Coordinates of all heavy atoms in Angstrom, one line a residue:
M119 N -11.6 5.4 -16.2 CA -10.4 4.9 -15.7 C -9.2 5.1 -16.8 O -9.5 5.0 -17.9 CB -10.5 3.4 -15.5 CG -10.9 2.9 -14.2 SD -9.9 2.5 -12.9 CE -11.3 2.4 -11.8
S120 N -8.1 5.4 -16.2 CA -7.0 5.7 -17.1 C -6.4 4.4 -17.6 O -6.5 3.3 -17.0 CB -5.9 6.4 -16.2 OG -4.7 6.5 -17.0
E121 N -5.7 4.5 -18.7 CA -5.0 3.4 -19.4 C -3.6 3.2 -18.8 O -3.0 2.3 -19.2 CB -5.0 3.5 -20.9 CG -6.4 3.5 -21.5 CD -7.1 2.2 -21.4 OE1 -6.4 1.2 -21.6 OE2 -8.4 2.2 -21.3
E122 N -3.1 4.2 -18.0 CA -1.8 4.1 -17.5 C -1.6 2.9 -16.6 O -2.5 2.6 -15.8 CB -1.4 5.3 -16.7 CG -1.0 6.5 -17.6 CD -0.5 7.7 -16.7 OE1 0.5 7.5 -16.0 OE2 -1.2 8.7 -16.7
A123 N -0.4 2.3 -16.6 CA -0.2 1.2 -15.7 C 0.0 1.7 -14.3 O 0.6 2.7 -14.0 CB 1.1 0.4 -16.2
V124 N -0.5 0.9 -13.3 CA -0.2 1.1 -11.9 C 0.9 0.2 -11.5 O 0.8 -1.0 -11.8 CB -1.5 0.9 -11.1 CG1 -1.2 1.0 -9.6 CG2 -2.6 1.9 -11.5
K125 N 1.8 0.7 -10.8 CA 3.0 -0.1 -10.3 C 2.8 -0.3 -8.8 O 2.6 0.6 -8.0 CB 4.3 0.6 -10.5 CG 5.5 -0.1 -10.0 CD 6.8 0.7 -10.3 CE 8.0 0.2 -9.7 NZ 9.1 1.2 -9.8
V126 N 2.9 -1.6 -8.4 CA 2.8 -2.0 -7.0 C 4.1 -2.6 -6.6 O 4.5 -3.6 -7.3 CB 1.6 -2.9 -6.7 CG1 1.5 -3.3 -5.2 CG2 0.3 -2.3 -7.2
T127 N 4.7 -2.1 -5.6 CA 6.0 -2.6 -5.1 C 5.8 -3.2 -3.7 O 5.4 -2.5 -2.8 CB 7.1 -1.6 -5.1 OG1 7.2 -1.0 -6.4 CG2 8.5 -2.1 -4.7
V128 N 6.2 -4.5 -3.6 CA 6.2 -5.2 -2.3 C 7.5 -4.8 -1.6 O 8.6 -5.3 -2.0 CB 6.0 -6.7 -2.4 CG1 6.0 -7.4 -1.1 CG2 4.8 -7.1 -3.3
R129 N 7.4 -3.9 -0.6 CA 8.6 -3.5 0.1 C 9.0 -4.6 1.1 O 8.1 -5.1 1.8 CB 8.4 -2.2 0.8 CG 8.2 -1.1 -0.2 CD 8.3 0.2 0.4 NE 8.7 1.2 -0.5 CZ 8.6 2.5 -0.3 NH1 8.1 3.0 0.9 NH2 9.0 3.4 -1.1
P130 N 10.3 -4.9 1.2 CA 10.7 -6.0 2.1 C 10.4 -5.6 3.6 O 10.7 -4.5 4.1 CB 12.3 -6.0 1.9 CG 12.5 -5.3 0.7 CD 11.4 -4.3 0.4
N131 N 9.7 -6.5 4.2 CA 9.3 -6.3 5.6 C 8.4 -5.0 5.9 O 8.5 -4.4 6.9 CB 10.5 -6.3 6.5 CG 11.4 -7.5 6.3 OD1 10.9 -8.6 6.1 ND2 12.7 -7.3 6.3
G132 N 7.7 -4.6 4.8 CA 7.0 -3.4 5.0 C 5.7 -3.3 4.1 O 5.1 -4.4 3.8
S133 N 5.5 -2.2 3.6 CA 4.2 -1.9 2.9 C 4.1 -2.3 1.5 O 5.1 -2.8 0.9 CB 3.9 -0.4 3.0 OG 5.0 0.3 2.2
L134 N 3.0 -2.1 0.9 CA 2.8 -2.1 -0.6 C 2.8 -0.7 -1.1 O 1.9 0.1 -0.8 CB 1.5 -2.8 -0.9 CG 1.3 -4.3 -0.5 CD1 -0.1 -4.8 -0.8 CD2 2.3 -5.2 -1.2
R135 N 3.8 -0.4 -1.9 CA 3.9 1.0 -2.5 C 3.1 1.0 -3.8 O 3.4 0.1 -4.7 CB 5.3 1.3 -2.7 CG 5.6 2.7 -3.3 CD 5.5 3.7 -2.2 NE 5.9 5.1 -2.7 CZ 5.6 6.2 -2.1 NH1 4.9 6.2 -0.9 NH2 6.0 7.3 -2.6
V136 N 2.1 1.8 -3.9 CA 1.3 1.9 -5.1 C 1.6 3.2 -5.8 O 1.4 4.3 -5.2 CB -0.2 1.7 -4.8 CG1 -1.0 1.6 -6.1 CG2 -0.4 0.5 -4.0
E137 N 2.0 3.2 -7.1 CA 2.2 4.4 -7.9 C 1.4 4.3 -9.2 O 1.3 3.3 -9.8 CB 3.7 4.4 -8.3 CG 4.6 4.4 -7.0 CD 6.1 4.2 -7.5 OE1 6.7 5.1 -8.0 OE2 6.6 3.1 -7.3
G138 N 0.9 5.5 -9.5 CA 0.2 5.6 -10.8 C -1.2 6.3 -10.5 O -1.4 6.8 -9.5
P139 N -2.0 6.2 -11.5 CA -3.4 6.8 -11.3 C -4.2 5.9 -10.4 O -4.7 4.8 -10.8 CB -3.9 6.8 -12.8 CG -3.2 5.8 -13.5 CD -1.8 5.6 -12.8
I140 N -4.3 6.2 -9.2 CA -4.9 5.4 -8.1 C -6.3 5.9 -7.7 O -6.5 7.1 -7.5 CB -4.0 5.4 -6.9 CG1 -2.6 5.0 -7.2 CG2 -4.7 4.5 -5.8 CD1 -1.6 5.4 -6.1
V141 N -7.3 5.0 -7.7 CA -8.6 5.2 -7.0 C -8.7 4.2 -5.9 O -8.6 3.0 -6.1 CB -9.7 5.0 -8.0 CG1 -11.1 5.2 -7.3 CG2 -9.6 6.0 -9.2
L142 N -8.7 4.7 -4.7 CA -8.8 3.8 -3.5 C -10.2 3.9 -2.9 O -10.6 5.0 -2.5 CB -7.7 4.2 -2.5 CG -7.6 3.4 -1.2 CD1 -7.3 1.9 -1.6 CD2 -6.6 3.9 -0.3
Q143 N -10.9 2.8 -2.8 CA -12.3 2.8 -2.3 C -12.4 1.8 -1.1 O -11.7 0.8 -1.1 CB -13.2 2.3 -3.4 CG -13.3 3.2 -4.6 CD -14.3 2.7 -5.6 OE1 -14.5 1.5 -5.8 NE2 -14.9 3.6 -6.3
D144 N -13.4 2.1 -0.3 CA -13.8 1.1 0.7 C -14.8 0.2 0.1 O -15.2 0.3 -1.1 CB -14.3 1.8 2.0 CG -15.6 2.5 1.8 OD1 -16.3 2.4 0.8 OD2 -16.0 3.2 2.8
A145 N -15.3 -0.8 0.9 CA -16.3 -1.8 0.4 C -17.6 -1.2 -0.1 O -18.3 -1.8 -0.9 CB -16.6 -2.8 1.5
E146 N -17.9 0.0 0.3 CA -19.2 0.7 -0.1 C -18.9 1.6 -1.3 O -19.9 2.3 -1.7 CB -19.8 1.5 1.0 CG -20.6 0.6 2.0 CD -19.7 -0.2 2.9 OE1 -18.7 0.3 3.5 OE2 -19.9 -1.5 3.0
G147 N -17.7 1.6 -1.8 CA -17.4 2.5 -2.9 C -17.1 3.9 -2.6 O -16.9 4.7 -3.5
R148 N -16.9 4.3 -1.3 CA -16.4 5.6 -0.9 C -15.0 5.7 -1.2 O -14.2 4.8 -0.8 CB -16.8 5.9 0.5 CG -18.3 5.9 0.8 CD -18.6 6.0 2.2 NE -18.1 4.9 3.0 CZ -18.9 4.2 3.9 NH1 -20.0 4.7 4.2 NH2 -18.4 3.1 4.5
T149 N -14.6 6.8 -1.7 CA -13.2 7.0 -2.1 C -12.4 7.9 -1.2 O -12.9 8.8 -0.6 CB -13.0 7.6 -3.5 OG1 -13.7 8.8 -3.6 CG2 -13.6 6.7 -4.6
W150 N -11.1 7.6 -1.0 CA -10.2 8.4 -0.3 C -9.8 9.5 -1.2 O -9.6 9.3 -2.4 CB -9.0 7.6 0.2 CG -9.2 6.9 1.5 CD1 -8.8 7.4 2.8 CD2 -9.7 5.6 1.7 NE1 -9.1 6.4 3.7 CE2 -9.6 5.3 3.1 CE3 -10.2 4.6 0.8 CZ2 -10.1 4.1 3.6 CZ3 -10.6 3.4 1.4 CH2 -10.6 3.2 2.7
D151 N -9.6 10.7 -0.6 CA -9.1 11.8 -1.4 C -7.6 11.7 -1.5 O -6.8 11.9 -0.5 CB -9.5 13.2 -0.7 CG -9.0 14.4 -1.5 OD1 -8.4 14.2 -2.7 OD2 -9.1 15.5 -1.1
L152 N -7.1 11.4 -2.7 CA -5.6 11.2 -2.9 C -5.1 12.4 -3.8 O -4.1 12.2 -4.4 CB -5.4 9.8 -3.5 CG -5.9 8.6 -2.7 CD1 -5.6 7.3 -3.5 CD2 -5.2 8.6 -1.4
T153 N -5.8 13.4 -3.8 CA -5.4 14.6 -4.6 C -3.9 15.0 -4.2 O -3.6 15.1 -3.1 CB -6.3 15.8 -4.2 OG1 -7.6 15.4 -4.5 CG2 -5.9 17.0 -5.1
G154 N -3.1 15.1 -5.3 CA -1.8 15.5 -5.1 C -0.8 14.4 -4.6 O 0.3 14.6 -4.3
K155 N -1.4 13.2 -4.6 CA -0.5 12.0 -4.1 C -0.3 11.1 -5.3 O -1.1 10.3 -5.7 CB -1.2 11.3 -3.0 CG -1.4 12.1 -1.8 CD -1.9 11.3 -0.6 CE -1.9 12.2 0.6 NZ -2.3 11.5 1.8
P156 N 0.9 11.1 -5.9 CA 1.2 10.3 -7.0 C 1.5 8.9 -6.6 O 1.5 7.9 -7.4 CB 2.5 10.9 -7.7 CG 3.1 11.6 -6.5 CD 2.0 12.1 -5.6
A157 N 1.7 8.7 -5.3 CA 1.9 7.3 -4.8 C 1.4 7.2 -3.3 O 1.4 8.2 -2.6 CB 3.4 7.0 -4.8
I158 N 1.1 6.0 -2.9 CA 0.7 5.7 -1.6 C 1.3 4.4 -1.1 O 1.7 3.6 -1.9 CB -0.9 5.7 -1.4 CG1 -1.5 4.5 -2.3 CG2 -1.5 7.0 -1.7 CD1 -2.9 4.3 -2.0
S159 N 1.4 4.3 0.2 CA 1.8 3.0 0.8 C 0.7 2.4 1.6 O 0.2 3.0 2.5 CB 3.1 3.2 1.7 OG 4.2 3.7 0.9
L160 N 0.4 1.1 1.2 CA -0.7 0.4 1.9 C -0.1 -0.5 2.9 O 0.9 -1.2 2.6 CB -1.6 -0.3 0.9 CG -2.3 0.6 -0.1 CD1 -3.0 -0.3 -1.1 CD2 -3.2 1.5 0.6
C161 N -0.8 -0.6 4.1 CA -0.3 -1.5 5.2 C -0.5 -3.0 4.8 O -1.5 -3.4 4.3 CB -1.1 -1.2 6.5 SG -0.6 -2.3 7.8
R162 N 0.6 -3.7 5.0 CA 0.6 -5.1 4.7 C 0.7 -6.0 5.9 O 0.5 -7.2 6.0 CB 1.7 -5.4 3.7 CG 1.8 -6.8 3.2 CD 2.7 -6.8 1.9 NE 4.1 -6.6 2.2 CZ 5.0 -7.6 2.4 NH1 4.7 -8.8 2.3 NH2 6.3 -7.3 2.6
C163 N 1.1 -5.3 7.0 CA 1.4 -6.0 8.3 C 0.1 -6.1 9.2 O 0.1 -6.9 10.1 CB 2.5 -5.4 9.0 SG 2.1 -3.8 9.8
G164 N -0.8 -5.2 9.1 CA -2.0 -5.2 9.9 C -1.9 -4.4 11.1 O -2.9 -4.3 11.9
A165 N -0.8 -3.8 11.4 CA -0.6 -3.1 12.6 C -0.8 -1.6 12.5 O -0.7 -0.8 13.6 CB 0.8 -3.3 13.2
S166 N -1.0 -1.0 11.3 CA -1.2 0.4 11.2 C -2.4 0.9 11.9 O -3.4 0.3 11.9 CB -1.3 0.8 9.7 OG -1.6 2.1 9.6
E167 N -2.3 2.1 12.5 CA -3.4 2.8 13.1 C -4.1 3.7 12.2 O -5.0 4.4 12.5 CB -3.0 3.4 14.4 CG -2.5 2.4 15.5 CD -2.3 3.1 16.8 OE1 -2.6 4.2 17.0 OE2 -1.7 2.4 17.7
N168 N -3.6 3.7 10.9 CA -4.2 4.6 9.9 C -4.5 3.7 8.6 O -4.2 4.1 7.5 CB -3.2 5.7 9.6 CG -3.8 6.7 8.6 OD1 -5.0 7.0 8.7 ND2 -3.0 7.3 7.8
K169 N -5.0 2.5 8.8 CA -5.4 1.7 7.7 C -6.3 2.3 6.8 O -7.2 3.1 7.2 CB -6.0 0.4 8.2 CG -5.0 -0.5 9.0 CD -5.8 -1.8 9.5 CE -4.9 -2.6 10.4 NZ -4.9 -2.0 11.8
P170 N -6.2 2.1 5.5 CA -5.4 1.1 4.9 C -4.0 1.6 4.6 O -3.2 0.9 4.0 CB -6.1 0.9 3.5 CG -6.7 2.2 3.2 CD -7.1 2.8 4.5
F171 N -3.6 2.7 5.1 CA -2.3 3.3 4.8 C -1.2 2.8 5.9 O -1.6 2.5 7.0 CB -2.3 4.8 4.9 CG -3.3 5.4 3.9 CD1 -4.5 5.8 4.4 CD2 -3.0 5.4 2.5 CE1 -5.4 6.3 3.5 CE2 -3.9 5.9 1.7 CZ -5.2 6.4 2.1
C172 N 0.0 2.6 5.4 CA 1.1 2.3 6.3 C 1.4 3.5 7.1 O 1.5 4.6 6.6 CB 2.3 1.9 5.4 SG 3.9 1.7 6.3
D173 N 1.7 3.3 8.4 CA 2.1 4.4 9.3 C 3.5 4.1 9.9 O 3.9 4.8 10.9 CB 1.1 4.7 10.4 CG 0.9 3.6 11.4 OD1 1.6 2.5 11.3 OD2 0.1 3.8 12.3
G174 N 4.1 3.1 9.4 CA 5.4 2.8 9.9 C 5.5 1.7 11.1 O 6.5 1.3 11.5
A175 N 4.3 1.3 11.5 CA 4.2 0.4 12.6 C 4.8 -1.0 12.3 O 5.2 -1.7 13.2 CB 2.7 0.1 13.0
H176 N 5.0 -1.3 11.0 CA 5.7 -2.6 10.7 C 7.1 -2.7 11.3 O 7.5 -3.8 11.6 CB 5.7 -2.8 9.2 CG 6.4 -1.7 8.4 ND1 5.8 -0.6 7.9 CD2 7.7 -1.6 8.1 CE1 6.7 0.2 7.3 NE2 7.8 -0.4 7.4
K177 N 7.7 -1.5 11.4 CA 9.1 -1.6 12.0 C 8.9 -1.9 13.5 O 9.7 -2.7 14.0 CB 9.7 -0.2 11.9 CG 10.0 0.1 10.4 CD 10.6 1.5 10.3 CE 10.7 1.9 8.8 NZ 10.5 3.3 8.7
R178 N 8.0 -1.3 14.2 CA 7.8 -1.6 15.7 C 7.5 -3.0 15.9 O 8.0 -3.6 16.9 CB 6.7 -0.7 16.2 CG 6.4 -0.9 17.7 CD 5.3 0.1 18.2 NE 4.2 0.2 17.4 CZ 3.1 -0.6 17.3 NH1 3.1 -1.7 18.0 NH2 2.1 -0.3 16.5
I179 N 6.7 -3.6 15.1 CA 6.3 -5.0 15.4 C 7.3 -6.0 14.7 O 7.1 -7.2 14.8 CB 4.9 -5.3 14.9 CG1 4.7 -5.3 13.4 CG2 3.9 -4.4 15.6 CD1 3.4 -5.9 12.9
E180 N 8.3 -5.5 14.0 CA 9.3 -6.3 13.4 C 8.7 -7.2 12.4 O 9.0 -8.5 12.3 CB 10.2 -7.0 14.4 CG 11.0 -6.0 15.3 CD 11.8 -6.7 16.3 OE1 11.9 -7.9 16.3 OE2 12.5 -5.9 17.1
F181 N 7.8 -6.7 11.6 CA 7.1 -7.5 10.5 C 8.2 -8.1 9.6 O 9.0 -7.4 9.1 CB 6.1 -6.6 9.7 CG 5.4 -7.3 8.6 CD1 4.5 -8.3 8.8 CD2 5.6 -6.8 7.3 CE1 3.8 -8.9 7.8 CE2 4.9 -7.4 6.3 CZ 4.0 -8.4 6.5
Q182 N 8.0 -9.4 9.3 CA 8.9 -10.1 8.4 C 8.2 -10.7 7.2 O 7.4 -11.6 7.4 CB 9.6 -11.2 9.2 CG 10.5 -10.7 10.4 CD 11.8 -10.1 9.9 OE1 12.5 -10.6 9.2 NE2 12.0 -8.8 10.4
S183 N 8.5 -10.2 6.1 CA 8.0 -10.8 4.8 C 8.6 -10.1 3.7 O 8.6 -8.9 3.5 CB 6.4 -10.6 4.7 OG 6.0 -11.1 3.5
A184 N 9.3 -10.8 2.9 CA 10.0 -10.3 1.7 C 9.9 -11.2 0.5 O 10.8 -11.8 0.0 CB 11.5 -10.1 2.1
P185 N 8.6 -11.3 0.1 CA 8.4 -12.3 -1.1 C 8.9 -11.7 -2.4 O 9.0 -10.5 -2.6 CB 6.8 -12.4 -1.1 CG 6.4 -11.1 -0.6 CD 7.4 -10.7 0.5
S186 N 9.3 -12.7 -3.2 CA 9.7 -12.4 -4.6 C 9.0 -13.3 -5.5 O 8.6 -14.5 -5.1 CB 11.2 -12.5 -4.8 OG 11.8 -11.5 -4.0
P187 N 8.8 -12.9 -6.8 CA 8.1 -13.9 -7.7 C 9.0 -15.0 -8.0 O 10.3 -14.9 -8.0 CB 7.9 -13.0 -9.0 CG 8.7 -11.8 -8.8 CD 9.0 -11.6 -7.4
V188 N 8.5 -16.2 -8.2 CA 9.2 -17.4 -8.6 C 9.6 -17.3 -10.1 O 8.7 -17.0 -10.9 CB 8.4 -18.6 -8.4 CG1 9.1 -19.9 -8.9 CG2 8.0 -18.8 -6.9
V189 N 10.9 -17.4 -10.3 CA 11.4 -17.2 -11.7 C 11.6 -18.6 -12.2 O 12.3 -19.5 -11.6 CB 12.7 -16.4 -11.7 CG1 13.3 -16.3 -13.1 CG2 12.5 -15.1 -11.1
A190 N 10.9 -18.9 -13.4 CA 11.1 -20.2 -14.0 C 12.5 -20.3 -14.6 O 13.0 -19.4 -15.2 CB 10.1 -20.4 -15.1
G191 N 13.1 -21.5 -14.3 CA 14.5 -21.7 -14.8 C 14.6 -22.5 -15.9 O 14.9 -22.8 -16.9
Ligands
LIG133 S1 3.1 -2.2 6.5 FE1 3.6 -0.4 7.4 S2 2.3 -0.3 9.1 FE2 1.7 -2.1 8.2

């Protein structure tokens, strides 16, 4: 495994954008071929027909979620 940080961005009303050295596996440890993909978008709404990837369906179902971290004041 690489020591590089992976960046995950929660997109407003949309996917999780993952950038960095990514290994994506299913529950049995089989990996998706992400050759040449420096970033991927994972479905967060549950409506994608290409899970675990986002296919834009979140727009069709008008998925609403725009969380942000709680900042201590
Ligand atoms: S987040 Fe895009 S299809 Fe689910």
Side-chain angles (χ1 to χ4, degrees):
M119 269 269 169
S120 171
E121 297 289 325
E122 278 186 67
V124 173
K125 178 181 170 187
V126 181
T127 304
V128 182
R129 291 192 154 166
N131 308 320
S133 65
L134 297 173
R135 182 81 172 162
V136 185
E137 302 169 73
I140 305 161
V141 176
L142 181 62
Q143 297 182 327
D144 68 9
E146 280 74 46
R148 294 175 293 228
T149 60
W150 275 266
D151 181 7
L152 301 177
T153 304
K155 295 186 179 187
I158 59 173
S159 292
L160 298 176
C161 179
R162 187 163 69 97
C163 74
S166 173
E167 294 187 12
N168 189 31
K169 294 180 188 77
F171 303 102
C172 171
D173 69 358
H176 58 269
K177 293 177 191 148
R178 177 177 44 80
I179 68 166
E180 299 181 0
F181 178 65
Q182 298 287 306
S183 176
S186 292
V188 176
V189 179

